[in-house]
Amino acid sequence: QLDEAQTLLKTGEPLIASYPSEHAKFLCKKGQVCHLSGDAQGARAALKQAQDLAAELSVNEDSEVAQQVAVLSKRLKE
């Protein structure tokens, strides 16, 4: 199932990239998949991209984007 998830991520990212808040949430999901597959570098890169998008969007800490970024950040620290 991991291969399927990675394929879907590669296929889906270009479709969602033009919607910054959705792309940020997508990147958090991508980071979780990378983390679960043992790709720490990919997970950190996805988190960094999501954080950058969240900063550009000036999201508040209660937003869905900020919450998902926080969840991924916490998961990567475990």
Side-chain angles (χ1 to χ4, degrees):
Q1 291 179 352
L2 185 57
D3 289 338
E4 182 181 353
Q6 290 172 332
T7 299
L8 291 171
L9 289 171
K10 286 179 186 176
T11 303
E13 189 162 5
L15 301 173
I16 198 84
S18 61
Y19 304 95
S21 63
E22 295 302 318
H23 190 207
K25 292 185 284 186
F26 179 93
L27 288 165
C28 291
K29 290 176 180 71
K30 180 179 178 179
Q32 290 180 24
V33 170
C34 289
H35 178 67
L36 291 171
S37 71
D39 179 7
Q41 183 177 357
R44 285 191 304 273
L47 174 60
K48 174 72 169 112
Q49 284 183 276
Q51 290 171 326
D52 290 348
L53 280 172
E56 286 177 26
L57 294 167
S58 299
V59 299
N60 68 44
E61 63 186 43
D62 295 327
S63 73
E64 195 174 337
V65 171
Q67 290 174 6
Q68 288 192 21
V69 168
V71 167
L72 178 57
S73 180
K74 182 179 177 185
R75 182 163 288 155
L76 296 183
K77 291 177 183 175
E78 294 175 346

